């Protein structure tokens, strides 16, 4: 069985300050891990993915995430927030990168203040 | 542009009605998926299809039906048996099921509201 916990349902930052969105997972195998972003009333866009290669993964729009097996974490970070980063972010775990085997976290809503 | 098109964007259903949500992709993908998203929650899998004329139930298939007569099309019917259909529905596709580096692409979603 696999599960994902996003530790914060809402995160608020000021523009230009760092972003940290936390994600912990559990899995009985070596999982693939993903972060997706969803803007209001839109579909999901892939930010980055970890598939057992480098543990520090760089994604689009300046985001990156570090896979820490000992802590079962996959936190998403960005050095400097932009107003356009305001959205819902989902951490996702999958046994095999298969769309029928994805387990979604509950989501973190990121708010960016001017 | 290649991508996934969902229609309609907004749909209202009366009690006891069946409604169908359209999903079309021009990415030449074999695998297609339907998810349901409730406010403040992650996605849950309704149905998926790995190939034409074949589909499988997901975690919450009750009250829904699908067909896959063409590779590019995977319509979802929300039947009157679905007691709480108000939600945001997302269609997705993938070149095939699974595999490293095989990105899943999402449509822009459809809002279904029961009136």
């Amino acid at each position: 069985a696999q599960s994902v916990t996003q530790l914060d349902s809402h995160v608020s930052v000021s523009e230009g300050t760092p972003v940290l969105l936390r994600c912990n997972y559990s899995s009985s195998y070596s999982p693939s891990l993903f972060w997706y972003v969803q803007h209001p009333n839109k579909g999901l866009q892939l930010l980055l993915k970890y598939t057992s290669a480098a543990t520090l993964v760089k994604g689009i729009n300046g985001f990156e995430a570090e896979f820490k097996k000992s802590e079962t974490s996959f936190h998403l970070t960005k050095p400097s927030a932009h107003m356009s980063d305001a959205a819902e972010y989902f951490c996702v775990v999958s046994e095999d990168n298969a769309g029928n085997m994805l387990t979604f976290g509950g989501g973190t809503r990121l708010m960016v203040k001017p | 542009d290649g991508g996934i098109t969902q229609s309609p964007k907004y749909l209202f259903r009366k009690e006891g009605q069946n409604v169908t949500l359209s999903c079309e992709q021009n990415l030449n993908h074999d695998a297609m998926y339907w998810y349901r998203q409730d406010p403040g929650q992650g996605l849950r899998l309704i149905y998926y299809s790995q190939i034409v004329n074949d589909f499988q139930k997901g975690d919450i298939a009750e009250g829904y039906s699908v067909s896959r007569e063409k590779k590019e099309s995977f319509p979802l019917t929300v039947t009157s048996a679905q007691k709480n259909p108000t939600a945001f529905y997302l269609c997705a596709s993938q070149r095939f099921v699974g595999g490293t580096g095989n990105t899943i692409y999402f449509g822009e979603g459809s809002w279904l509201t029961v009136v």
Side-chain angles (χ1 to χ4, degrees):
Chain A
Q2 58 190 21
S3 67
V4 178
T5 301
Q6 291 183 242
L7 298 166
D8 306 291
S9 59
H10 294 81
V11 170
S12 182
V13 301
S14 296
E15 192 174 20
T17 64
V19 175
L20 170 64
L21 306 183
R22 298 182 295 164
C23 172
N24 285 97
Y25 72 92
S26 69
S27 175
S28 55
Y29 41 77
S30 295
S32 296
L33 291 157
F34 309 84
W35 276 100
Y36 282 88
V37 61
Q38 184 181 34
H39 289 92
N41 296 322
K42 298 289 188 182
L44 275 67
Q45 181 184 18
L46 181 65
L47 278 178
L48 50 80
K49 61 185 176 184
Y50 166 78
T51 54
S52 75
T55 56
L56 182 62
V57 182
K58 293 188 183 299
I60 61 172
N61 301 334
F63 285 95
E64 62 181 40
E66 186 171 8
F67 174 70
K68 292 187 176 181
K69 187 174 181 178
S70 61
E71 298 176 11
T72 61
S73 70
F74 190 57
H75 301 334
L76 182 70
T77 61
K78 182 173 181 177
S80 175
H82 291 175
M83 295 297 293
S84 60
D85 293 329
E88 187 93 18
Y89 291 79
F90 291 97
C91 182
V92 182
V93 63
S94 174
E95 178 177 344
D96 186 33
N97 188 31
N100 60 316
M101 302 180 77
L102 303 179
T103 298
F104 285 79
T108 298
R109 181 165 297 278
L110 176 65
M111 294 167 282
V112 182
K113 298 175 290 187
Chain B
D1 283 353
I4 300 174
T5 302
Q6 289 187 239
S7 63
K9 181 70 175 180
Y10 300 95
L11 185 59
F12 297 90
R13 191 194 92 169
K14 294 181 180 179
E15 296 280 353
Q17 268 187 342
N18 293 352
V19 293
T20 297
L21 305 179
S22 170
C23 177
E24 303 277 332
Q25 54 97 359
N26 60 5
L27 301 166
N28 199 32
H29 287 173
D30 283 320
M32 296 187 73
Y33 309 90
W34 273 106
Y35 299 92
R36 170 181 171 140
Q37 184 179 25
D38 292 283
Q41 298 186 31
L43 278 63
R44 292 181 291 168
L45 182 67
I46 304 172
Y47 268 98
Y48 68 99
S49 168
Q50 297 188 67
I51 199 167
V52 174
N53 292 323
D54 180 70
F55 48 83
Q56 307 294 330
K57 292 182 179 180
D59 301 318
I60 55 166
E62 185 175 351
Y64 300 96
S65 66
V66 293
S67 63
R68 188 83 187 278
E69 297 176 0
K70 298 186 296 182
K71 186 175 186 177
E72 59 269 25
S73 179
F74 191 42
L76 173 73
T77 297
V78 185
T79 75
S80 56
Q82 171 49 243
K83 297 306 179 189
N84 185 22
T86 296
F88 191 51
Y89 291 86
L90 283 160
C91 180
S93 73
Q94 194 175 23
R95 193 153 47 94
F96 48 83
V97 175
T100 302
N102 186 12
T103 300
I104 298 169
Y105 295 88
F106 287 84
E108 296 217 332
S110 294
W111 274 108
L112 174 62
T113 303
V114 173
V115 296

